[in-house]
Amino acid sequence: MERVHYTQNINITPELLARIEELCSHYPADKRKSALLPVLHEVQDAHDNWLSIELQDKVAEIMGIKPIEVYEVVTFYTMYNTKPIGKFMFEFCQTSPCCLNGVENLMDYTCEKLGVNVGETTPDGLFTVKGVECLGACGYAPMMQLGDFYQEHLTKEKVDQLIDDCKAGKITLHDKG
Amino acid sequence: MSRKILLDKINVPGIKSYEVYRANGGYASVEKALKTLTPDEVVEEVKTSGLRGRGGAGFPAGMKWSFIDKKSGKPRHLVCNADESEPGTFKDRFLMEYIPHLLIEGMITSSYALGANLSYIYIRGEYMWVFKILEKAINEARAAGWLGKNILGTGYDLDLYVHCGAGAYICGEETALIESLEGKRGNPRIKPPFPAVSGLWANPTVVNNVETIAAVPWIVNNGGAEYAKIGIGRSTGTKLISASGHIKNPGVYEIELGLSVDEFMNSDEYLGGMSSDRPLKAFVPGGSSVPILPANLIFKTANGEDRLMTYESLSDGGFATGSMLGSGGFIVYNDTACIVRNTWNFSRFYHHESCGQCSPCREGTGWLEKVLHRIETGYGREEDIDLLWSIQAKIEGNTICPLGDAAAWPVAAAIRHFRDEFEYHVRFPEKIKNRDHFVEEPFEKVKHLVGKATV
């Protein structure tokens, strides 16, 4: 099987660096590594929602830890992406209460509409459809996560609207508040 | 009408903001504790209240607090477990999203009781917008003088931060959470030592659920004895129940422990009964990890008594005829739900979420998922049901943390109570493949899942 090495432009801005330092300040000075998960979220958000090996190395350098310490964290947690994904990732919760309310049908519908299978990205790089485990919104099922936000009580009509809104650039993915 | 302790102010307009929360009596427990009570007296109040951990295990909170090592001279920490990830459970998010200062008030009062000067709220990464709400609320509390140095001029210092995870159910286990908070993979630690002796950065640490900590302000304000008057027996106080599935009114409810399951299920004040005219088939009372119960054991215990929403009544008779209150994740199924499919769904979850540290869990959860998948998709063999039983029995009790038990119990309970449904799947595979029995309509067109059964 061919190994694909994904390349990425690394853009650690002064603002991002300041945010990283602020996050590190939440822990004792000799426990800087504790900030790794929140730091990776910030860095990923600033880099099209994925983390290349080179970017992980950069994070290790900034944090003052070994690259392997970043790799083992990135590969353990599901919210870090190690290859490019669509600009809009539809993460459908596929656990029992959402299934009882028809999420599987909605996933099929979304995939058909976008012309992809679960786990794939549309050729234009706009959408990725993914099935994820429980998102803690069981009473508001079926639902999905889009960026930092939950889209609950989903219907086919709501999915249609979301796709249209994404294409029209009306969706906010991250609230930097 | 049930008494409300956690959600009594939830409908006050603007209660999310510091000003409104404070104007409605917020932070009174901090004032009372820091100015009039010693830390040990706060611990005693919590002990007297009988408050049990609301994350699922139900261990008495005051007793847990009293285990913290005060003699080591090391810094102590309080960590709030907001990593809510158990399927069926979404109560903590509700509290944090709509009344964040209640949790922060509880964190300050509880940290004072434990002698902690640096505390954290560990929230699951998916709740990013709630993370922002909490961060804002913490900043408001800090600006108002409830956090920082010399709080209220009492000499007590506390820093409080919110820390986000990144998608791992296992981080809800307290030692895995601590590992994650240290910036590592969420692999559970072998206990002992328990966190109360060696927790965050090897310092004495208490890890409590959001709901547990949110109950502390009321206990301090009103006294532990008053809290103990609410509820029944050793199930004192109120409990948040998050309800989902085939019911009319899904959502988060605060109930007094001791309410009957019948009233909770069928009265308009709560779930309002089934969402359609289909009959009730089964329910899971405490999140996906606890055993599922069939309709005939839901409202009455094996002894014929009314089943109550308490730790004791829900577990009446052990797992043969009972279940657990757990996290309060209440999932209801009507007769169109496929128990085999539901069990496979849960098994997939536990396989996905196993950290992989222990062989019985790492290998066993995957094995359970595979066997369940082939039965569910009409490729099962007669001996597969006994095989499932054998696998789950080898996982239970044989892992470092309770995830192994959580993966095993739903399978055991499903076979125990619904074996005929598993047998139907195995004996009539063509009917299963055609999806004409035990399968509700939404499952009919599941193209991306059907036909992938492998051994």
Side-chain angles (χ1 to χ4, degrees), chain B residues 11 46 109 116 125 181 202 209 227 253 257 291 340 363 383 387:
Chain B
N11 291 321
V46 174
T109 308
L181 189 46
N209 177 257
Y227 188 87
Y253 297 88
L257 287 168
V340 178
E363 306 300 328
E383 62 270 28
L387 176 61

Side-chain angles (χ1 to χ4, degrees), chain A residues 26-28 33-34 41 76-79 94 96 99 104 108 112 133-136 138-139 145 152 175, chain B residues 88 90 93 120 124 126 132 163 165-167 180-181 183-184 186 201 341-342 345 348 443 445 447-449:
Chain A
H26 295 177
Y27 309 88
K33 186 186 171 184
S34 281
H41 278 299
F76 183 82
Y77 296 93
T78 59
M79 292 182 74
Q94 55 182 2
S96 176
C99 287
E104 291 161 310
D108 286 344
E112 255 175 47
E133 298 303 336
C134 188
L135 288 171
C138 317
Q145 182 165 19
E152 298 170 335
D175 175 12
Chain B
F90 48 99
R93 162 195 159 185
Y120 294 93
R124 66 180 300 185
E126 292 90 341
K132 305 264 167 61
H163 173 106
S180 184
L181 189 46
K184 295 181 274 186
W201 306 311
R341 187 174 192 82
N342 184 68
N345 189 290
R348 184 185 64 197
F443 290 162
K445 300 173 187 170
K447 282 182 293 187
H448 67 279
L449 294 169

Side-chain angles (χ1 to χ4, degrees), chain A residues 114-127:
Chain A
L114 295 174
V116 293
N117 291 313
V118 173
E120 291 179 352
T121 302
T122 53
D124 60 5
L126 262 189
F127 297 99

Side-chain angles (χ1 to χ4, degrees), chain B residues 241-281:
Chain B
I241 305 290
S242 44
S244 62
H246 294 137
I247 44 169
K248 267 194 192 133
N249 310 320
V252 177
Y253 297 88
E254 183 172 12
I255 62 159
E256 284 186 41
L257 287 168
L259 181 76
S260 75
V261 174
D262 190 4
E263 189 180 348
F264 183 63
M265 275 283 296
N266 294 313
S267 77
D268 290 337
E269 186 185 348
Y270 300 106
L271 308 191
M274 305 300 286
S275 55
S276 64
D277 56 359
R278 308 297 310 186
L280 172 64
K281 178 177 183 176

Side-chain angles (χ1 to χ4, degrees), chain B residues 34-45:
Chain B
L34 267 61
K35 288 184 174 172
T36 68
L37 299 171
T38 65
D40 285 346
E41 284 171 337
V42 179
V43 174
E44 277 309 309
E45 289 294 348

